[in-house]
Amino acid sequence: MEDTLAPYEAALDRVPGPVERAVDVGTGTGAGARVLRQRFPEAAVVGVDVAPAMLAEARRHAPEISFVEGDAARLPFEDASFDLAAHANMIPFVREAGRVLRPGGWTLFAFSSGPDTPIWVEPTTLRRELERRGFSDFAEIAAGRGIAVVARKAQQD
Ligand SMILES: C[S@@+](CC[C@H](N)C(=O)[O-])C[C@H]1O[C@@H](n2cnc3c(N)ncnc32)[C@H](O)[C@@H]1O
């Protein structure tokens, strides 16, 4: 696991509210979901991961957060059901993030160690893919040893 969520936190500074429903995709032991919970205490926060052992650990750390088993390529959520889909050190499944976001919702992809992160996608590549899926309002943020990309889903499909 990565040692810092500094870029994830910095990216959240760029996300305006209101955030009523937020998901941390590829949550692992739930560190990102716990950050979301702190940032948006009124929001419903969900962490999703494909690995049951990770989820067990995540639940142990934060029993108040909903942790759900699921594949980021086929998220077990309805269309347009989240204001924010966040990813830390996770393979980007951009189409699926876009599907579960409401129009005008936000996504972020944080990589804790920049290019040295075991799962790493160049921001330009990520931005191109996000643009292809109708996202805009990009920001690329450096924080700690890492980098994050933030983008907003189109207001209308
Ligand atoms: C490098 S870890 C990052 C965990 C956490 N986000 C963090 O930064 O500490 C990647 C996580 O993604 C999960 N993962 C990998 N492929 C996935 C998929 N297709 N759907 C959901 N989770 C996935 C793994 O089980 C693992 O917990």
Side-chain angles (χ1 to χ4, degrees):
M1 282 311 107
E2 299 306 318
D3 60 356
T4 171
L5 287 184
Y8 188 99
E9 298 250 20
L12 287 174
D13 293 343
R14 307 293 184 100
V15 175
V19 173
E20 294 176 359
R21 279 179 58 79
V23 59
D24 183 55
V25 181
T27 197
T29 55
R34 294 195 296 279
V35 169
L36 295 179
R37 182 96 178 117
Q38 279 181 341
R39 285 288 182 122
F40 310 109
E42 306 299 322
V45 173
V46 183
V48 59
D49 202 283
V50 79
M54 290 290 187
L55 292 169
E57 188 66 9
R59 291 185 188 112
R60 200 175 63 73
H61 286 295
E64 75 283 6
I65 297 177
S66 172
F67 288 103
V68 176
E69 187 176 335
D71 184 347
R74 288 181 298 278
L75 288 170
F77 308 122
E78 292 184 7
D79 294 359
S81 53
F82 287 95
D83 305 296
L84 170 64
H87 308 70
N89 308 306
M90 174 59 187
I91 311 146
F93 289 88
V94 171
R95 189 196 64 81
E96 194 60 357
R99 183 186 67 76
V100 300
L101 282 173
R102 66 163 168 80
W106 293 80
T107 192
L108 74 87
F109 298 86
F111 302 96
S112 292
S113 303
D116 294 331
T117 313
I119 296 172
W120 162 247
V121 180
E122 285 284 347
T124 47
T125 306
L126 194 46
R127 179 174 172 156
R128 198 179 317 123
E129 178 64 10
L130 285 159
E131 262 170 346
R132 205 165 72 79
R133 302 285 180 189
F135 283 81
S136 62
D137 294 26
F138 299 97
E140 186 182 324
I141 300 135
R145 293 182 300 121
I147 289 173
V149 170
V150 184
R152 187 174 203 191
K153 183 177 167 176
Q155 295 279 1
Q156 290 176 338
D157 288 329

